[in-house]
Amino acid sequence: MNQAVSFQTRARTIDHLGRGQIADAPTAISELWKNAYDAYAQNVALHIFGGEPEVASIFDDGVGMDRADIVQRWLVIGTESKVEDADSSPKETFGLPFRFRQGEKGIGRLSVAFLAPVTVVISRKRGGNFVAVLVDWRLFENPFISLDDIKLPVEEFANAAELETGLRNMSATLQENLGDGVDDRALRLQDSWARYSRHESETGALSTASAIRNSWKSFGIKKRHLEEWPVFVGLSEHGTAMFMIGIHHELNVWVRSDPKTAEVELVKDHLRETLTGFTDPFGDSRADFDYEVWCHLTDGRGDWVLRSLDPLAGGI
């Protein structure tokens, strides 16, 4: 008897589409800056914070997202932007001329998985609430989990004070993906993590489930990180902040005091060359889009100092 069946999608598909498609950190950052450009941002900045854990963030003043945008677009892979004219640009363009889309495959947002294992996205539209989503990309490394069994916390906050306190509470929902609970989904997750942990043990790898639990014992985003985002401190009404916790080697070299080896200098040079050439400053029709990179370093006395990546600005 013939019986029709459909494809099944494992969570690891996201891992392949994200980290698997990105060659290096500069490429990942460029993809995220393209998303800011498509959102009609005029300014985008990469901040790299020293400390424990090391954190990087990308801030833009684009149109921002509300809860519906997060759920129906940011968390949907392969959106309809290529076939729906209405999706070619946001409704709010701040008086800027039409921009041809820079993001090509609808998966550029997944490049953030290359930069750090944990991402916190916070966004706000003009006149709207803050909305936040937490993603731990290590959840998608487990080849035994079905994609639809992973649930990510999405919450709204009326103001910056609620946002600061509410972010910490979202991590409990995220950790339910490790199989906390007694319903059918929890039982499936428990079995999937048990199988994966056995595989890791047999191959001598560290436990991914344990790494996830340990990293969420404290929340990596502090007030000093949030206060660098103009929307959080009330200097802008709209935009998106993307925080990355436990950043990749190609970013943390900027805020560590390790010796300046040839490898480290090569990594730094590659980031400078890629990002400083993001747009052509001498073009006939230069886009109204400015970008910068800042490093937050300790001065050795417990205070934090700010340094620009731009050597023309006296940077590092």
Side-chain angles (χ1 to χ4, degrees):
M1 182 178 65
N2 294 329
Q3 183 178 5
V5 297
S6 61
F7 279 107
Q8 296 185 38
T9 306
R10 294 297 188 188
R12 202 170 185 181
T13 303
I14 299 297
D15 192 50
H16 293 319
L17 290 174
R19 291 185 301 175
Q21 300 296 315
I22 299 299
D24 50 38
T27 301
I29 294 166
S30 295
E31 289 297 322
L32 297 170
W33 281 10
K34 288 178 184 179
N35 289 350
Y37 178 88
D38 291 342
Y40 283 78
Q42 297 181 70
N43 300 280
V44 65
L46 168 67
H47 288 251
I48 307 173
F49 298 88
E52 181 57 43
E54 292 153 334
V55 173
S57 60
I58 293 178
F59 302 138
D60 72 53
D61 59 356
V63 66
M65 295 179 285
D66 56 21
R67 181 183 176 87
D69 293 323
I70 290 285
V71 173
Q72 299 172 15
R73 296 188 49 74
W74 199 87
L75 291 174
V76 177
I77 307 305
T79 52
E80 302 84 357
S81 59
K82 294 297 182 182
V83 296
E84 288 188 357
D85 292 338
D87 190 45
S88 59
S89 65
K91 294 180 180 179
E92 176 64 81
T93 61
F94 314 111
L96 297 171
F98 174 80
R99 291 178 173 180
F100 290 100
R101 294 181 65 87
Q102 298 297 306
E104 297 178 358
K105 301 181 185 302
I107 60 173
R109 79 209 75 158
L110 298 181
S111 62
V112 71
F114 181 92
L115 299 172
V118 175
T119 301
V120 180
V121 179
I122 311 170
S123 196
R124 186 185 189 191
K125 282 187 169 180
R126 177 183 287 172
N129 291 332
F130 291 93
V131 59
V133 57
L134 268 59
V135 186
D136 194 315
W137 301 104
R138 293 168 294 190
L139 295 169
F140 300 97
E141 295 176 11
N142 189 331
F144 303 109
I145 296 180
S146 295
L147 182 57
D148 55 1
D149 270 339
I150 293 183
K151 309 296 182 185
L152 302 176
V154 180
E155 297 288 347
E156 283 188 276
F157 305 98
N159 52 56
E162 286 188 12
L163 170 66
E164 183 183 356
T165 57
L167 281 174
R168 299 176 181 273
N169 298 329
M170 295 173 66
S171 64
T173 301
L174 190 71
Q175 292 180 75
E176 291 177 1
N177 291 290
L178 295 174
D180 299 345
V182 295
D183 58 6
D184 290 343
R185 169 177 169 260
L187 295 176
R188 289 194 301 271
L189 288 167
Q190 289 170 22
D191 178 66
S192 297
W193 283 110
R195 294 172 65 187
Y196 191 40
S197 294
R198 284 196 301 270
H199 169 74
E200 290 176 313
S201 177
E202 292 168 357
T203 57
L206 298 176
S207 169
T208 301
S210 296
I212 293 173
R213 288 196 187 278
N214 290 335
S215 66
W216 286 106
K217 288 180 179 178
S218 61
F219 195 71
I221 304 301
K222 312 298 182 186
K223 191 170 184 177
R224 73 181 181 97
H225 303 124
L226 291 166
E227 287 179 337
E228 295 295 333
W229 184 31
V231 180
F232 182 80
V233 294
L235 297 178
S236 180
E237 295 181 274
H238 51 85
T240 298
M242 185 173 290
F243 294 94
M244 296 154 275
I245 305 173
I247 52 177
H248 192 280
H249 167 69
E250 293 180 48
L251 293 183
N252 66 34
V253 294
W254 291 93
V255 291
R256 290 188 174 184
S257 57
D258 297 338
K260 295 184 177 180
T261 65
E263 178 191 0
V264 167
E265 292 307 306
L266 185 63
V267 168
K268 289 185 175 183
D269 288 344
H270 184 37
L271 185 68
R272 286 194 188 96
E273 292 171 3
T274 301
L275 299 187
T276 55
F278 187 75
T279 61
D280 181 5
F282 306 108
D284 293 335
S285 56
R286 183 178 182 273
D288 190 2
F289 186 73
D290 294 317
Y291 48 91
E292 57 188 3
V293 180
W294 294 95
C295 301
H296 300 252
L297 307 158
T298 180
D299 63 358
R301 299 189 302 270
D303 296 323
W304 294 99
V305 294
L306 197 61
R307 294 286 187 271
S308 172
L309 179 145
D310 185 358
L312 299 178
I316 56 178

